[in-house]
């Protein structure tokens, strides 16, 4: 066979033509495979996280047992209720010098307040001075409150002294000029068979004999106020203390988070803010209606806190949270859905107990040094 015949019998190799469609097909196949891997991985990760979460939510106990509450539709925030920014124009006094001041009383031109670090302070001529503290330090976190104390309501008495309600300690009379502190009623003293866990606000008659005060709950302490609100516990009370006879009695019971309290100018009735129910109750302490109670105002545009008299004959009422309308009010939404509240706080008690135990063990120096250091370096965001 000649060279020419051999060349004729050979079939030339056809070049492989790679088209754009082929590249797209190959890329598509690769992308599809990668996408499947990603979806499977994501699904497995989601299942590994969600299943234990739901299991924990089913197995964990909830610290609260809320019952459904019924509210009317919040009033429209129009007209006199139109939101404004006037408080932004207020002058800031003692800024960055006070930690969580709650209530204010004045004797002449001198102001007094109680703060979150457990102190009673005198504010005069731009100076801040400590005049009393009912507990002992340190006072750094909310869990320190039971030993540190948390003064809330404060009022000036007729003899130049101050009457103070401490959430954990009870009722006190303080002489701010002599720095003398007198315990009037301890929280450890049961009232009609029930303890006082959350002494809140107080109001005093002009002669200083009667003190009307609120105990927000016999179950929850001040540091657990969020649980008190969410559960809607109805174990709060309005009480009366006689400074002469040292007798204490219950005026109103089964209140849901009774908070601010104010005696009328004529001293014939007492107003008490029922925070959880967005209303103010009235109890008559003298006159023809003595011993009776009624609603002073209901369906407020927010959840009330303290009440104080105004110069016009009315009352100033501070609102801790607004019930937006138009808008969305979370507390109104949750009020008729106790199962959501229960689920939200399923692990609250566990986290709080873990944190308290950790702090206790740290103080006692019996914990693992590595574990303590790790916790210090990577703090867990506990919701309290």
């Amino acid at each position: 066979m000649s060279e020419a015949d051999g060349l004729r019998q050979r079939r030339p190799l056809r070049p492989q033509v790679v088209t754009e469609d082929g590249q797209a097909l190959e890329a598509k196949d690769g992308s599809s495979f990668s996408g499947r891997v990603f979806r499977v991985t994501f699904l497995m990760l989601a299942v590994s996280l969600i299943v234990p979460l739901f299991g924990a939510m089913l197995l964990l106990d909830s610290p609260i047992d809320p019952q459904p509450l019924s509210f009317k539709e919040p009033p429209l925030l129009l007209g006199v209720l139109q939101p404004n920014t006037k408080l932004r124009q207020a002058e800031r006094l003692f800024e960055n010098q006070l930690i969580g001041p709650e209530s204010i009383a004045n004797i002449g031109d001198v102001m007094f307040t109680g703060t979150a670090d457990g102190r009673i302070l005198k504010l005069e001529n731009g100076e801040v001075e400590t005049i009393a503290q009912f507990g002992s330090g340190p006072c750094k976190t909310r869990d320190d409150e039971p030993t540190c104390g948390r003064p809330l309501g404060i009022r000036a008495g007729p003899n130049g002294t101050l009457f103070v309600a401490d959430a954990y300690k009870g009722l006190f009379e303080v002489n701010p000029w002599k720095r003398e502190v007198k315990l009037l009623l301890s929280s450890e003293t049961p009232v009609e068979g029930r303890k006082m866990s959350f002494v809140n606000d107080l109001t005093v008659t002009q002669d200083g004999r009667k003190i009307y005060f609120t105990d927000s709950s016999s179950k929850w302490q001040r540091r657990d106020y969020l649980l008190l609100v969410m559960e809607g516990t109805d174990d709060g009370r309005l009480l009366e203390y006689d400074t002469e006879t040292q007798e204490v009695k219950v005026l109103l019971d089964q209140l849901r988070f009774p908070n601010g309290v104010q005696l009328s100018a004529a001293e014939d009735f007492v107003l008490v803010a029922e925070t959880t129910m967005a209303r103010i109750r009235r109890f008559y302490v003298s006159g023809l209606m003595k011993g009776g109670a009624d609603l002073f105002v209901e369906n407020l545009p927010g959840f009330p806190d303290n009440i104080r008299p105004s110069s016009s004959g009315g009352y100033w009422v501070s609102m801790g949270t607004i019930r937006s309308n138009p808008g969305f009010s979370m507390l109104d939404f949750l009020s008729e859905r106790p199962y959501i509240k229960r689920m939200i706080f399923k692990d609250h008690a566990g986290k709080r107990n873990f944190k308290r135990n950790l702090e206790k063990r740290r103080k006692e120096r019996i914990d693992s040094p590595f574990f303590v250091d790790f916790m210090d370096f990577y703090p867990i965001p506990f919701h309290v």
Side-chain angles (χ1 to χ4, degrees):
M1 180 183 295
S2 65
E3 184 177 353
D5 292 337
L7 289 174
R8 282 196 297 267
Q9 289 183 9
R10 293 176 188 169
R11 292 184 179 180
L13 295 174
R14 294 181 180 180
Q16 294 182 352
V17 180
V18 180
T19 64
E20 293 182 0
D21 292 340
Q23 291 178 342
L25 180 61
E26 184 178 355
K28 181 178 180 180
D29 291 341
S31 175
S32 177
F33 177 75
S34 299
R36 287 196 299 271
V37 171
F38 173 78
R39 287 193 294 271
V40 171
T41 304
F42 179 80
L43 181 61
M44 292 177 63
L45 180 61
V47 170
S48 66
L49 293 174
I50 294 175
V51 170
L53 177 62
F54 274 98
M57 294 179 74
L58 291 174
L59 295 175
L60 288 174
D61 293 328
S62 175
I64 61 174
D65 183 24
Q67 303 300 316
L69 302 177
S70 180
F71 286 94
K72 296 180 180 178
E73 181 181 355
L76 291 172
L77 299 183
L78 302 174
V80 295
L81 296 180
Q82 181 72 34
N84 60 68
T85 58
K86 293 181 179 180
L87 285 180
R88 296 181 185 176
Q89 304 169 15
E91 179 184 359
R92 295 178 180 269
L93 303 177
F94 304 97
E95 190 171 9
N96 300 323
Q97 299 182 61
L98 310 176
I99 304 175
E102 170 74 10
S103 181
I104 299 174
N106 68 287
I107 300 177
D109 294 330
V110 183
M111 293 190 298
F112 300 90
T113 189
T115 52
D117 54 0
R119 297 183 295 161
I120 302 298
L121 303 178
K122 181 175 74 170
L123 312 174
E124 184 180 18
N125 299 324
E127 299 292 329
V128 179
E129 186 178 354
T130 301
I131 61 171
Q133 183 164 1
F134 307 137
S136 58
C139 308
K140 297 180 180 180
T141 70
R142 187 178 298 172
D143 288 330
D144 294 326
E145 287 186 358
T147 55
C148 180
R150 181 57 168 110
L152 296 176
I154 183 170
R155 303 279 185 154
N159 301 318
T161 62
L162 300 170
F163 292 98
V164 184
D166 186 284
Y168 301 90
K169 306 299 182 180
L171 298 180
F172 291 84
E173 184 175 10
V174 178
N175 187 320
W177 322 113
K178 297 181 179 181
R179 313 292 176 85
E180 296 175 348
V181 176
K182 178 183 179 181
L183 176 62
L184 301 178
L185 178 65
S186 171
S187 293
E188 300 298 323
T189 304
V191 179
E192 296 188 5
R194 284 166 52 192
K195 64 178 181 179
M196 298 183 293
S197 293
F198 188 170
V199 180
N200 200 321
D201 196 19
L202 78 169
T203 184
V204 185
T205 55
Q206 294 180 15
D207 60 7
R209 175 166 181 175
K210 297 289 184 66
I211 299 175
Y212 302 99
F213 68 102
T214 51
D215 176 31
S216 296
S217 176
S218 60
K219 176 181 180 180
W220 300 108
Q221 295 182 321
R222 197 215 75 89
R223 57 180 171 172
D224 298 314
Y225 73 91
L226 184 57
L227 298 181
L228 172 58
V229 172
M230 287 294 131
E231 186 172 61
T233 317
D234 63 348
D235 63 344
R237 298 177 290 180
L238 171 67
L239 303 102
E240 175 190 278
Y241 176 78
D242 191 311
T243 58
E244 291 189 6
T245 65
Q246 300 181 359
E247 294 178 343
V248 58
K249 61 182 179 180
V250 178
L251 302 182
L252 278 178
D253 201 354
Q254 295 184 317
L255 300 176
R256 299 183 191 274
F257 200 165
N259 201 329
V261 61
Q262 178 60 50
L263 184 65
S264 68
E267 299 192 349
D268 56 341
F269 63 80
V270 176
L271 299 178
V272 55
E274 200 172 4
T275 299
T276 304
M277 299 305 296
R279 66 190 182 190
I280 297 175
R281 302 281 295 273
R282 173 168 52 189
F283 182 86
Y284 293 89
V285 294
S286 66
L288 296 176
M289 297 284 290
K290 183 177 180 179
D294 59 15
L295 280 177
F296 184 73
V297 60
E298 61 177 336
N299 200 33
L300 288 166
F303 295 91
D305 197 314
N306 282 346
I307 309 174
R308 295 294 183 267
S310 71
S311 58
S312 62
Y315 300 91
W316 290 104
V317 180
S318 60
M319 302 286 180
T321 304
I322 295 297
R323 304 168 65 206
S324 300
N325 188 15
F328 176 74
S329 171
M330 177 60 74
L331 290 181
D332 281 66
F333 173 78
L334 293 175
S335 64
E336 297 182 357
R337 297 168 176 83
Y339 58 92
I340 297 181
K341 296 180 183 179
R342 196 174 289 110
M343 295 293 285
I344 291 174
F345 289 92
K346 275 258 183 177
D347 64 339
H348 181 93
K351 288 181 178 179
R352 164 150 285 187
N353 290 335
F354 176 79
K355 184 180 179 184
R356 289 176 180 169
N357 290 336
L358 176 63
E359 292 297 328
K360 180 180 178 181
R361 294 175 69 188
R362 178 180 294 165
K363 292 176 181 178
E364 294 174 353
R365 299 178 181 274
I366 62 173
D367 204 349
S368 164
F370 171 78
F371 186 68
V372 172
D373 291 343
F374 179 82
M375 290 296 295
D376 287 338
F377 193 72
Y378 296 98
I380 295 177
F382 290 95
H383 299 285
V384 294

